[in-house]
Amino acid sequence: MFVGSLSVDLLLGDVHSLKGKRAVVRPIVAEIARKFAVSAAEVGHHDLHRRALIGVAVVAANAAHCREVLDACERLVANHPEIEILSTRQKLYGEDD
């Protein structure tokens, strides 16, 4: 069994309030969870209205499948023109970790 995690640090475009931030981030998180059957949430920068940190977790039988799913999640986020990805980080945990 392998567990993979992805964190995506985002800079949001024309957002001027925390309410506007929610309107941008929530649909992205919901789309990730729905399309890829993973756990996804906004996990950081809660008090900043132009920044967001999205976390994704997946469990799979092999490492290759974890990487494929996390890469697909990252591509989905990158395809949203209203945001800019500042950084991404993937981690993979195996049974021996």
Side-chain angles (χ1 to χ4, degrees):
M1 175 180 75
F2 290 87
V3 177
S5 68
L6 169 69
S7 61
V8 185
D9 193 2
L10 304 174
L11 178 64
L12 306 178
D14 192 28
V15 174
H16 302 288
S17 68
L18 293 175
K19 186 176 179 180
K21 173 184 178 176
R22 274 194 314 272
V24 173
V25 175
R26 278 189 179 174
I28 294 171
V29 169
E31 184 179 8
I32 291 169
R34 185 183 72 249
K35 274 192 163 184
F36 301 108
V38 298
S39 293
E42 182 182 357
V43 296
H45 305 306
H46 296 290
D47 56 341
L48 302 175
H49 67 273
R50 293 215 48 224
R51 295 280 300 275
L53 183 64
I54 294 177
V56 178
V58 62
V59 177
N62 59 53
H65 184 67
C66 278
R67 284 192 199 97
E68 287 174 18
V69 171
L70 295 176
D71 287 342
C73 292
E74 189 175 333
R75 283 192 301 274
L76 184 143
V77 174
N79 284 332
H80 286 270
E82 70 274 16
I83 61 171
E84 177 184 343
I85 294 178
L86 298 176
S87 67
T88 63
R89 184 175 181 188
Q90 287 188 19
K91 283 188 172 183
L92 194 62
Y93 304 93
E95 293 176 355
D96 299 330
D97 292 333

